[in-house]
Amino acid sequence: LVGWGGDSDEANHQHRTPHILLEFGPLVIFWGLATTMGTKAGIAGAMAMIVVGILWRFVRGLSFTRIYILVAILTTVFGVIDLLSGTPSMIIYESVITNVVTGCAFIVGSFGKKPMIQQMAEQRAVVPFPDRADIRRFFQIFTLFWAVYFFVKSVFYFWIAQTLPLTEAVAVRSLVGGVSLGLMIAVSVTQGKRLFLICRKLGLL
């Protein structure tokens, strides 16, 4: 997920992009189809993407990262809840719950031998990351940064659910959620080295 940027990173770009799409693909597809074509279409698309992701990993000999497992489980569970729910409130509040759960998962994933994002980044890197304490600390901070993003988004979703009509709330949620997630991924992919240098300059590593 995290790229170091610069000319040396160009060789990794073609390898990184499909992996990122497979990592977050089920959630993105469910989100897009559910808001445009309905929950059933969203679930069907997400399940298809999960199958593609599983086959891709078997063919390439890749392990299942914690992020991918989390995305697949959340997409499936909350998709089914939306499908079975008889009230429109679930359409609003499942996104709040999903982001809170995801944020908690990222906090848990920041600990252990390797932070969750470091595990995923190392699978995508052509050259392995150095086995250094500052590298691990950076990925731990970056994993917590993603956790904060999901918590902030859950608070925003809860606020619009309380203040806007259902149709408007869903539209705003889709727009803000899609754009913000795209920006987070873009920053992670292109600005990793710069963020590492900033953290080191601030004495965080």
Side-chain angles (χ1 to χ4, degrees):
L1 180 62
V2 178
W4 294 103
D7 296 336
S8 62
D9 203 44
E10 291 180 1
N12 293 338
H13 180 74
Q14 60 180 337
H15 300 284
R16 186 188 307 122
T17 301
H19 286 301
I20 292 173
L21 293 177
L22 285 172
E23 211 72 60
F24 291 94
L27 188 58
V28 174
I29 288 179
F30 171 74
W31 198 352
L33 292 179
T35 54
T36 57
M37 301 177 62
T39 302
K40 291 183 179 179
I43 293 175
M47 293 301 101
M49 191 63 186
I50 290 173
V51 172
V52 170
I54 292 173
L55 293 176
W56 175 271
R57 282 166 171 76
F58 277 122
V59 171
R60 301 299 293 269
L62 300 174
S63 62
F64 290 86
T65 64
R66 285 175 283 179
I67 289 180
Y68 178 79
I69 294 173
L70 172 65
V71 168
I73 291 176
L74 287 177
T75 303
T76 303
V77 170
F78 286 99
V80 172
I81 290 176
D82 271 354
L83 186 63
L84 298 178
S85 177
T87 61
S89 61
M90 180 56 69
I91 300 175
I92 290 292
Y93 293 109
E94 65 89 8
S95 61
V96 177
I97 299 171
T98 300
N99 279 276
V100 170
V101 172
T102 305
C104 292
F106 270 75
I107 290 179
V108 174
S110 66
F111 298 97
K113 185 177 180 180
K114 290 183 179 180
M116 185 163 58
I117 288 184
Q118 182 178 358
Q119 179 193 31
M120 192 177 80
E122 287 182 345
Q123 281 195 346
R124 282 83 182 118
V126 176
V127 179
F129 291 102
D131 185 16
R132 302 199 320 249
D134 60 338
I135 297 292
R136 181 187 178 279
R137 179 62 176 168
F138 169 72
F139 279 107
Q140 184 179 48
I141 292 174
F142 209 85
T143 303
L144 292 173
F145 177 68
W146 269 86
V148 171
Y149 160 73
F150 285 112
F151 286 132
V152 170
K153 195 163 63 168
S154 69
V155 172
F156 175 74
Y157 284 172
F158 182 80
W159 177 73
I160 63 174
Q162 299 295 313
T163 58
L164 296 178
L166 175 61
T167 303
E168 294 181 20
V170 171
V172 172
R173 185 189 72 184
S174 300
L175 177 62
V176 173
V179 172
S180 64
L181 181 60
L183 288 175
M184 285 289 292
I185 293 175
V187 170
S188 299
V189 168
T190 63
Q191 303 301 314
K193 184 177 181 178
R194 292 180 179 85
L195 292 172
F196 176 82
L197 295 175
I198 290 174
C199 288
R200 187 167 66 181
K201 185 176 181 179
L202 295 174
L204 300 176
L205 307 182

